[in-house]
Amino acid sequence: QTTGALCNVSFENDAQRVKLGELGACELFCRVCKACDGNMAGHQRTLEQACAVLGNVAKKNRTNRIKIGKARGPEALAGVLMRLVKSGGGADVEPVAMQALRAIGNILMRCDDNQEDFADAGGCKPLVQYCFGARGDAMLRRVLVTMLALAGHETVRYRLVKDGAIAAAAAVASNSFATEETKEVARKLQGMLPLPAPVVGCKMLAERGEEVMVETGSGRWVRTVETRMCAEAGAATIISKTFAQGL
């Protein structure tokens, strides 16, 4: 009941968001999400409300988003999503999924550190899986909004592509359950994602500023520091659309 009350008072209330952030709500509900993730079946309602509070306090409040990031909220919510996907994502857990996705979208908005932490914790893959498995337009819209935020990040967008976001966006764009507005968001996401392509040899870049990313041994995508790219033919990488068209 306490979690539900805090969810209600923080909804669309800027002053309460600030106050709750000052009182430690960001850190507290990150811990709640982490604790409930270990026994989701027995704490679905608590987890749903905890995600709702995080989504409320993070909305239009950068200070709270930073606090949530420092409390490892992005990682906790990535874990919640992964557990929901493994459970099959049925109608019984849909309320939890909706609030978790809303919280993630607000926490990642214009916050590079949170986006990187979420991606590093494996959060991109379940988003892609929801694009294929979700049956409701509202669910698809929340997933796409989150993916759009991630696609705006210079390196995280390549993690999305690696995890199948291009095919996922195409699936939503042709999904009979999606409204035309949601399909338009999917097409926008498609336009923001770089093309995956095999390396076919070596090529000097036409301009020094051309975007070419490579995956390091740690799994992170980084921008190349040279103006040319050399790799074994057939090796997997991800490059920009302009570069791919010039091969």
Side-chain angles (χ1 to χ4, degrees):
Q1 290 180 335
T2 301
T3 305
L6 290 174
C7 177
N8 291 334
V9 300
S10 60
F11 183 69
E12 300 297 343
N13 190 316
D14 292 341
Q16 293 292 353
R17 289 179 190 133
V18 173
K19 189 64 176 178
L20 286 170
E22 293 172 347
L23 292 174
C26 299
E27 295 82 0
L28 172 62
F29 286 102
C30 286
R31 293 197 296 271
V32 171
C33 287
K34 185 66 176 178
C36 291
D37 185 36
N39 182 18
M40 188 176 295
H43 298 96
Q44 284 189 21
R45 182 59 176 166
T46 300
L47 182 57
E48 176 190 347
Q49 292 175 335
C51 289
V53 174
L54 287 176
N56 288 347
V57 299
K59 187 176 181 180
K60 300 179 182 178
N61 192 310
R62 180 170 177 78
T63 299
N64 284 348
R65 289 199 293 271
I66 293 172
K67 288 181 178 180
I68 292 170
K70 290 181 178 179
R72 302 185 66 82
E75 294 94 331
L77 288 167
V80 169
L81 272 192
M82 288 187 280
R83 185 65 63 88
L84 287 169
V85 169
K86 288 181 181 178
S87 73
D92 57 326
V93 297
E94 185 170 327
V96 180
M98 288 292 288
Q99 291 301 334
L101 288 166
R102 175 176 174 271
I104 291 166
N106 288 343
I107 290 166
L108 301 188
M109 188 62 63
R110 292 187 292 276
C111 192
D112 287 356
D113 288 344
N114 287 355
Q115 292 172 11
E116 292 166 10
D117 291 341
F118 179 80
D120 289 345
C124 295
K125 190 67 174 180
L127 289 176
V128 168
Q129 291 171 312
Y130 263 109
C131 285
F132 290 109
R135 292 292 180 268
D137 182 73
M139 178 77 75
L140 288 171
R141 181 78 60 82
R142 289 216 182 276
V143 172
L144 289 172
V145 167
T146 302
M147 292 175 75
L148 277 175
L150 292 169
H153 190 286
E154 184 178 10
T155 58
V156 173
R157 68 183 69 160
Y158 295 91
R159 186 75 62 84
L160 279 173
V161 171
K162 182 181 179 182
D163 286 338
I166 291 178
V172 175
S174 60
N175 191 321
S176 60
F177 291 95
T179 63
E180 186 56 40
E181 188 175 355
T182 296
K183 291 179 179 180
E184 183 58 35
V185 177
R187 288 189 284 268
K188 181 179 179 180
L189 176 62
Q190 286 178 295
M192 293 178 66
L193 294 172
L195 284 174
V199 175
V200 295
C202 304
K203 178 180 175 66
M204 294 296 296
L205 300 183
E207 298 180 4
R208 184 175 293 271
E210 177 66 85
E211 183 182 79
V212 177
M213 308 293 289
V214 296
E215 187 176 15
T216 65
S218 65
R220 297 180 70 91
W221 287 92
V222 297
R223 186 183 295 279
T224 56
V225 296
E226 302 293 335
T227 56
R228 65 188 179 89
M229 178 175 67
C230 300
E232 180 181 352
T237 189
I238 297 177
I239 57 183
S240 71
K241 294 180 181 180
T242 302
F243 185 66
Q245 291 167 356
L247 291 176

